[in-house]
Amino acid sequence: MEIERKWMVNGWPEGENFPALPLKEEFAMRQGYISVRPTVRIREEVLKGGETAYILCFKSGSGLAREEIERPIDKKLFDELETKIIGKPLIGKIRRSYALPDGLVLEVNHVDEGQPTAFWYAEVEYPTVDAARSWKPEAFGLADYLNDDVTDQPGQSMGAYWEQTRA
């Protein structure tokens, strides 16, 4: 089960207006959708200074809590799914993960950088639905940054973005 909240944001949470958040890792990613309902997607994740992973992911539903199944796949299968099944340019994004003082992780994504449709969003994943609902950005100095919660808003998913920009 994936339990996460999502916010639309403007840029990385860095500079004098933000609390010091340790950067855990950065990935350059490419992802594409075989299906949006249910979600079936592939993703290439290149860890800065590290390895590359290829992931096949299935997700059910939408909103705060949903089932998610991820499995590693090899590059050959990824390439075949990208070219033979999807056949469209994949979505590029940069993801930076920041350690929060409570042990959770803030993931910030810059999607389709340099494109007219580029945008930013942030997510925090939680162990329970109650933890997600009770978590307050202001407790960590992030009230101004995480002020546009779109977790339960229809059309605020990467799958919806895929349909809008790649269909």
Side-chain angles (χ1 to χ4, degrees):
M1 176 75 62
E2 175 188 60
I3 303 166
E4 68 183 7
R5 288 175 58 190
K6 180 177 181 177
W7 297 264
M8 303 309 293
V9 297
N10 294 307
W12 306 116
E14 299 170 344
E16 62 187 54
N17 296 328
F18 295 98
L21 296 176
L23 179 64
K24 290 180 55 141
E25 57 192 7
E26 181 176 318
F27 287 93
M29 302 177 169
R30 295 185 317 124
Q31 70 185 43
Y33 291 77
I34 296 165
S35 169
V36 174
R37 281 177 285 293
T39 298
V40 180
R41 91 169 170 230
I42 58 171
R43 181 160 57 206
E44 173 187 69
E45 301 177 344
V46 181
L47 176 62
K48 186 174 184 178
E51 297 186 8
T52 300
Y54 301 94
I55 310 291
L56 176 62
C57 178
F58 304 86
K59 291 186 181 192
S60 68
S62 62
L64 180 65
R66 57 191 180 155
E67 290 298 327
E68 178 182 57
I69 301 168
E70 291 187 340
R71 295 291 182 264
I73 58 175
D74 61 31
K75 182 175 181 357
K76 183 178 187 290
L77 177 56
F78 178 90
D79 291 343
E80 288 175 343
L81 291 170
E82 177 184 7
T83 59
K84 295 178 181 178
I85 303 298
I86 296 173
K88 298 175 184 176
L90 301 187
I91 297 170
K93 64 182 184 177
I94 302 296
R95 171 178 289 163
R96 291 183 182 171
S97 299
Y98 299 89
L100 293 168
D102 61 356
L104 296 176
V105 175
L106 173 67
E107 295 179 339
V108 181
N109 298 272
H110 189 191
V111 178
D112 275 347
E113 181 178 14
Q115 301 299 314
T117 55
F119 68 98
W120 299 78
Y121 72 96
E123 297 173 321
V124 176
E125 215 168 300
Y126 304 88
T128 67
V129 169
D130 287 341
R133 290 198 171 127
S134 65
W135 192 83
K136 304 288 185 222
E138 54 270 19
F140 306 97
L142 295 169
D144 290 340
Y145 185 66
L146 299 178
N147 65 5
D148 187 9
D149 190 333
V150 297
T151 303
D152 292 315
Q153 291 182 20
Q156 295 295 328
S157 69
M158 287 300 297
Y161 177 73
W162 174 265
E163 288 182 313
Q164 294 166 6
T165 61
R166 304 312 199 262

